[in-house]
Amino acid sequence: MKPSISLFWLVSLLGCAVAQSAPTQVITAAGNFHPLPKAAYQPNPAATYKVVFSLTKGSDKPDQINPALERVARAVNLYASAGVPLDHLKFVAVAYGPATPVVLDDEHYKAQFGVTNPNLAVIAQLRKAGVDVAVCGQAMAEHHYADDWASQDVTISLSALTTITELEQQGYALMPL
């Protein structure tokens, strides 16, 4: 009996070691990262982080995930991997200007670009992780997009200008992407 008990404990300990060393990737549709547990400036798991991401660039190719949205996903994954609980991440990503189309539902994205929207899975996962993905209502109007063309996972704000300044007044750090 002793050898099987020892084997059980060895397998259990190895399983715990693997589970503890595996990186946490909350957003799987985008946001890959390289774990660097010994790097400087690790996030504090006890802290709360308030960031407003300014998404201003369009994708080079409409069938690829927007690089700014990719960076937001990477930020979530990096903080989560460092042990920061998702409810300590107060993240808002605001799309405007050339980035506005990232929020379109499949029907309207496909009508404009000929492909389904590759950003929707990322947006849905970000929303599930507690990130508010918003779009500038002024940019929607300037692009001649009806509000109901935006994905249901997207918040339509009055404008990027007012959203960013309002959030900065509340202590959010601005991260231009």
Side-chain angles (χ1 to χ4, degrees), residues 100 103-104 135-147 150 156:
T100 305
V103 304
L104 292 176
V135 65
C136 172
Q138 303 303 304
M140 289 286 287
E142 288 174 10
H143 280 83
H144 305 287
Y145 298 157
D147 287 352
I156 299 176

Side-chain angles (χ1 to χ4, degrees), residues 120-141:
L120 294 180
V122 180
I123 291 170
Q125 288 182 2
L126 287 168
R127 173 67 73 181
K128 187 175 179 184
V131 177
D132 184 13
V133 178
V135 65
C136 172
Q138 303 303 304
M140 289 286 287

Side-chain angles (χ1 to χ4, degrees), residues 101-114:
V102 303
V103 304
L104 292 176
D105 61 24
D106 266 334
E107 176 188 350
H108 294 95
Y109 193 90
K110 192 169 189 172
Q112 183 167 354
F113 298 107

Side-chain angles (χ1 to χ4, degrees), residues 3 7 25 44 75 79 85 96-97 139 151-152 158 163 177:
L7 182 59
Q25 184 150 342
N44 177 353
Y79 279 94
Y96 59 103
S151 163
Q152 293 180 3
L158 172 62
T163 300
L177 300 175

